[in-house]
Amino acid sequence: MTAQIIDGKAFAATVREKVAGHVARLKEEHNITPGLAVVLVGEDPASQVYVRSKGKQTVEVGMNSYEHKLDVDTSEADLLALIDQLNNDKDVHGILVQLPLPGHLNEDLVINSIDPAKDVDGFHISNVGLLGTGQKSMVPCTPLGCLMMLRDHHGSLSGMDAVVIGRSNIVGKPMAQLLLGDSCTVTIAHSRTKDLPDVVRRADIVVAAVGRPEMVPGDWIKEGATVIDVGINRIERDGKNKLVGDVDYASCAEVAGAITPVPGGVGPMTIACLLANTVTACCRANALAEPEGLTA
Ligand code: NAD
């Protein structure tokens, strides 16, 4: 079998189009422009690239982008004061604090100071609890993107066996909650899992979120399974820098029914879902109908 490629780049473009359409309607019919505030503390090069990309895409779909760049030695009190100001700003519907924060800042404290209704990353403890109990929440962007691609490919996920490799708070755990919400039988595997190959071989859906280059070989994959590769790993091969995922694409694509490539799979969906979450937050804040197909 040669797997069908799930094209995240193309899918993300359709999500952005939907978001842009909804933003245009909000402006026309309600005179409201959704706004996303992104806070960056320090000058981590990767974070700077992400923040620039988020700002650019926010403007491209017609929303307002507010960037707050703070010095690396900004105090916790000053950062919390900025978040308080953004929480109370009615033009700001989404707030994202770019992680990781410099070591002297308490990430949990900072994230939990964001108004949960504006927490477009879905990391606030209230949103984690709402998601875990199947209630309406803001959903973390990367797992939301994976869910959208899986629903698009399969229609219903009900009754499928899903294995999520990785138990991080930002990908693995919320991914498992979302799959459970769609009635999959879910296993979360991690670094202490016994006989990982055997666990993965049972899965109709494999989501790999580990951060280890090409860790999952094709002989772990059940014939026809869907493989969602969240990993983004930079490696050097044949003297060139290359991006690879957590699964060995070549061997997995020979057995899987469908697979996301790296790059061009899950990656582009993450920012698209951030934009989707911002529009959703804006609609909720104004008691307006939420856009269809952009939430969990
Ligand atoms: P993390 O380091 O927080 O978590 C990794 C998880 O993998 C841990 O729960 C750990 O138990 C598990 N793990 C480690 N070694 C293992 C092993 N040998 N066998 C089984 N499990 C093992 O990472 P994260 O933040 O969840 O990110 C995972 C990957 O996804 C990284 O490559 C990251 O760059 C990527 N990522 C991509 C996006 C995107 O937009 N596409 C977003 C977030 C993260």
Side-chain angles (χ1 to χ4, degrees), residues 12 54 121 141-143 145 230 232 265-275:
K54 285 168 186 171
D121 252 345
C141 303
T142 299
V230 182
I232 302 178
V266 175
M269 286 298 288
T270 297
I271 299 186
C273 287
L274 173 68
L275 305 176

PDB file of all heavy atoms in Angstrom, residues 12 54 121 141-143 145 230 232 265-275:
ATOM      1  N   ALA A  12      -4.502  23.923   5.532  1.00  0.00           N
ATOM      2  CA  ALA A  12      -4.367  25.159   6.311  1.00  0.00           C
ATOM      3  C   ALA A  12      -4.848  26.363   5.493  1.00  0.00           C
ATOM      4  O   ALA A  12      -5.452  27.291   6.033  1.00  0.00           O
ATOM      5  CB  ALA A  12      -2.918  25.354   6.743  1.00  0.00           C
ATOM      6  N   LYS A  54       3.103  34.550  12.874  1.00  0.00           N
ATOM      7  CA  LYS A  54       1.746  34.674  13.430  1.00  0.00           C
ATOM      8  C   LYS A  54       1.175  36.047  13.110  1.00  0.00           C
ATOM      9  O   LYS A  54       0.026  36.180  12.683  1.00  0.00           O
ATOM     10  CB  LYS A  54       1.780  34.447  14.949  1.00  0.00           C
ATOM     11  CG  LYS A  54       1.951  32.981  15.324  1.00  0.00           C
ATOM     12  CD  LYS A  54       2.284  32.768  16.793  1.00  0.00           C
ATOM     13  CE  LYS A  54       2.577  31.282  17.040  1.00  0.00           C
ATOM     14  NZ  LYS A  54       3.102  30.981  18.363  1.00  0.00           N
ATOM     15  N   ASP A 121      -4.306  29.876  22.933  1.00  0.00           N
ATOM     16  CA  ASP A 121      -3.424  28.704  22.923  1.00  0.00           C
ATOM     17  C   ASP A 121      -4.074  27.529  23.655  1.00  0.00           C
ATOM     18  O   ASP A 121      -3.623  26.391  23.532  1.00  0.00           O
ATOM     19  CB  ASP A 121      -2.095  29.049  23.634  1.00  0.00           C
ATOM     20  CG  ASP A 121      -0.933  29.164  22.651  1.00  0.00           C
ATOM     21  OD1 ASP A 121      -1.079  28.712  21.506  1.00  0.00           O
ATOM     22  OD2 ASP A 121       0.112  29.706  23.053  1.00  0.00           O
ATOM     23  N   CYS A 141      -3.804  24.645  19.723  1.00  0.00           N
ATOM     24  CA  CYS A 141      -3.834  24.750  18.255  1.00  0.00           C
ATOM     25  C   CYS A 141      -3.304  23.514  17.518  1.00  0.00           C
ATOM     26  O   CYS A 141      -3.905  23.085  16.529  1.00  0.00           O
ATOM     27  CB  CYS A 141      -3.022  25.973  17.829  1.00  0.00           C
ATOM     28  SG  CYS A 141      -3.608  27.491  18.587  1.00  0.00           S
ATOM     29  N   THR A 142      -2.179  22.959  17.973  1.00  0.00           N
ATOM     30  CA  THR A 142      -1.596  21.844  17.215  1.00  0.00           C
ATOM     31  C   THR A 142      -2.520  20.611  17.249  1.00  0.00           C
ATOM     32  O   THR A 142      -2.839  20.051  16.189  1.00  0.00           O
ATOM     33  CB  THR A 142      -0.177  21.515  17.748  1.00  0.00           C
ATOM     34  OG1 THR A 142       0.633  22.688  17.577  1.00  0.00           O
ATOM     35  CG2 THR A 142       0.455  20.362  17.003  1.00  0.00           C
ATOM     36  N   PRO A 143      -2.989  20.178  18.427  1.00  0.00           N
ATOM     37  CA  PRO A 143      -3.924  19.045  18.420  1.00  0.00           C
ATOM     38  C   PRO A 143      -5.231  19.354  17.685  1.00  0.00           C
ATOM     39  O   PRO A 143      -5.786  18.466  17.019  1.00  0.00           O
ATOM     40  CB  PRO A 143      -4.207  18.776  19.900  1.00  0.00           C
ATOM     41  CG  PRO A 143      -3.268  19.599  20.682  1.00  0.00           C
ATOM     42  CD  PRO A 143      -2.597  20.576  19.784  1.00  0.00           C
ATOM     43  N   GLY A 145      -5.525  21.176  15.041  1.00  0.00           N
ATOM     44  CA  GLY A 145      -5.201  20.991  13.624  1.00  0.00           C
ATOM     45  C   GLY A 145      -5.169  19.517  13.245  1.00  0.00           C
ATOM     46  O   GLY A 145      -5.668  19.123  12.183  1.00  0.00           O
ATOM     47  N   VAL A 230       3.540  14.858  14.261  1.00  0.00           N
ATOM     48  CA  VAL A 230       3.609  16.214  14.834  1.00  0.00           C
ATOM     49  C   VAL A 230       5.061  16.704  14.934  1.00  0.00           C
ATOM     50  O   VAL A 230       5.332  17.893  14.951  1.00  0.00           O
ATOM     51  CB  VAL A 230       2.936  16.246  16.232  1.00  0.00           C
ATOM     52  CG1 VAL A 230       2.962  17.645  16.824  1.00  0.00           C
ATOM     53  CG2 VAL A 230       1.498  15.748  16.153  1.00  0.00           C
ATOM     54  N   ILE A 232       8.803  17.995  14.731  1.00  0.00           N
ATOM     55  CA  ILE A 232       9.596  18.885  13.865  1.00  0.00           C
ATOM     56  C   ILE A 232      11.025  18.788  14.380  1.00  0.00           C
ATOM     57  O   ILE A 232      11.335  19.302  15.458  1.00  0.00           O
ATOM     58  CB  ILE A 232       9.122  20.349  13.948  1.00  0.00           C
ATOM     59  CG1 ILE A 232       7.639  20.464  13.554  1.00  0.00           C
ATOM     60  CG2 ILE A 232       9.990  21.244  13.050  1.00  0.00           C
ATOM     61  CD1 ILE A 232       7.085  21.882  13.667  1.00  0.00           C
ATOM     62  N   GLY A 265       2.765  19.190   6.788  1.00  0.00           N
ATOM     63  CA  GLY A 265       1.661  18.421   7.356  1.00  0.00           C
ATOM     64  C   GLY A 265       1.015  19.179   8.502  1.00  0.00           C
ATOM     65  O   GLY A 265       0.257  20.139   8.304  1.00  0.00           O
ATOM     66  N   VAL A 266       1.365  18.763   9.721  1.00  0.00           N
ATOM     67  CA  VAL A 266       0.771  19.377  10.923  1.00  0.00           C
ATOM     68  C   VAL A 266       1.222  20.832  11.092  1.00  0.00           C
ATOM     69  O   VAL A 266       0.430  21.696  11.487  1.00  0.00           O
ATOM     70  CB  VAL A 266       1.164  18.554  12.182  1.00  0.00           C
ATOM     71  CG1 VAL A 266       0.665  19.229  13.446  1.00  0.00           C
ATOM     72  CG2 VAL A 266       0.620  17.140  12.078  1.00  0.00           C
ATOM     73  N   GLY A 267       2.488  21.108  10.778  1.00  0.00           N
ATOM     74  CA  GLY A 267       3.068  22.439  11.019  1.00  0.00           C
ATOM     75  C   GLY A 267       2.195  23.603  10.552  1.00  0.00           C
ATOM     76  O   GLY A 267       1.826  24.455  11.366  1.00  0.00           O
ATOM     77  N   PRO A 268       1.817  23.650   9.263  1.00  0.00           N
ATOM     78  CA  PRO A 268       1.032  24.797   8.782  1.00  0.00           C
ATOM     79  C   PRO A 268      -0.335  24.915   9.454  1.00  0.00           C
ATOM     80  O   PRO A 268      -0.914  25.997   9.508  1.00  0.00           O
ATOM     81  CB  PRO A 268       0.859  24.516   7.284  1.00  0.00           C
ATOM     82  CG  PRO A 268       1.868  23.479   6.940  1.00  0.00           C
ATOM     83  CD  PRO A 268       2.190  22.729   8.185  1.00  0.00           C
ATOM     84  N   MET A 269      -0.857  23.776   9.963  1.00  0.00           N
ATOM     85  CA  MET A 269      -2.185  23.808  10.596  1.00  0.00           C
ATOM     86  C   MET A 269      -2.173  24.549  11.930  1.00  0.00           C
ATOM     87  O   MET A 269      -3.197  25.061  12.376  1.00  0.00           O
ATOM     88  CB  MET A 269      -2.684  22.378  10.829  1.00  0.00           C
ATOM     89  CG  MET A 269      -3.126  21.672   9.573  1.00  0.00           C
ATOM     90  SD  MET A 269      -4.514  22.508   8.784  1.00  0.00           S
ATOM     91  CE  MET A 269      -5.833  22.094   9.943  1.00  0.00           C
ATOM     92  N   THR A 270      -1.008  24.604  12.586  1.00  0.00           N
ATOM     93  CA  THR A 270      -0.970  25.178  13.934  1.00  0.00           C
ATOM     94  C   THR A 270      -1.334  26.667  13.921  1.00  0.00           C
ATOM     95  O   THR A 270      -2.207  27.102  14.681  1.00  0.00           O
ATOM     96  CB  THR A 270       0.414  24.926  14.575  1.00  0.00           C
ATOM     97  OG1 THR A 270       0.572  23.508  14.708  1.00  0.00           O
ATOM     98  CG2 THR A 270       0.518  25.551  15.956  1.00  0.00           C
ATOM     99  N   ILE A 271      -0.701  27.439  13.046  1.00  0.00           N
ATOM    100  CA  ILE A 271      -1.033  28.879  13.013  1.00  0.00           C
ATOM    101  C   ILE A 271      -2.446  29.086  12.457  1.00  0.00           C
ATOM    102  O   ILE A 271      -3.194  29.939  12.928  1.00  0.00           O
ATOM    103  CB  ILE A 271       0.015  29.700  12.229  1.00  0.00           C
ATOM    104  CG1 ILE A 271       1.389  29.568  12.900  1.00  0.00           C
ATOM    105  CG2 ILE A 271      -0.396  31.180  12.167  1.00  0.00           C
ATOM    106  CD1 ILE A 271       2.490  30.434  12.308  1.00  0.00           C
ATOM    107  N   ALA A 272      -2.835  28.260  11.478  1.00  0.00           N
ATOM    108  CA  ALA A 272      -4.207  28.378  10.947  1.00  0.00           C
ATOM    109  C   ALA A 272      -5.220  28.198  12.083  1.00  0.00           C
ATOM    110  O   ALA A 272      -6.235  28.907  12.150  1.00  0.00           O
ATOM    111  CB  ALA A 272      -4.431  27.348   9.850  1.00  0.00           C
ATOM    112  N   CYS A 273      -4.940  27.261  12.993  1.00  0.00           N
ATOM    113  CA  CYS A 273      -5.860  27.017  14.111  1.00  0.00           C
ATOM    114  C   CYS A 273      -5.801  28.149  15.143  1.00  0.00           C
ATOM    115  O   CYS A 273      -6.796  28.430  15.815  1.00  0.00           O
ATOM    116  CB  CYS A 273      -5.589  25.668  14.755  1.00  0.00           C
ATOM    117  SG  CYS A 273      -6.158  24.324  13.698  1.00  0.00           S
ATOM    118  N   LEU A 274      -4.658  28.792  15.259  1.00  0.00           N
ATOM    119  CA  LEU A 274      -4.566  29.967  16.138  1.00  0.00           C
ATOM    120  C   LEU A 274      -5.503  31.070  15.618  1.00  0.00           C
ATOM    121  O   LEU A 274      -6.224  31.708  16.395  1.00  0.00           O
ATOM    122  CB  LEU A 274      -3.110  30.456  16.170  1.00  0.00           C
ATOM    123  CG  LEU A 274      -2.866  31.766  16.891  1.00  0.00           C
ATOM    124  CD1 LEU A 274      -3.104  31.609  18.386  1.00  0.00           C
ATOM    125  CD2 LEU A 274      -1.443  32.261  16.628  1.00  0.00           C
ATOM    126  N   LEU A 275      -5.515  31.253  14.310  1.00  0.00           N
ATOM    127  CA  LEU A 275      -6.399  32.264  13.711  1.00  0.00           C
ATOM    128  C   LEU A 275      -7.858  31.840  13.924  1.00  0.00           C
ATOM    129  O   LEU A 275      -8.713  32.667  14.263  1.00  0.00           O
ATOM    130  CB  LEU A 275      -6.099  32.420  12.218  1.00  0.00           C
ATOM    131  CG  LEU A 275      -4.639  32.733  11.856  1.00  0.00           C
ATOM    132  CD1 LEU A 275      -4.451  32.759  10.340  1.00  0.00           C
ATOM    133  CD2 LEU A 275      -4.184  34.055  12.468  1.00  0.00           C
TER     134      LEU A 275
END
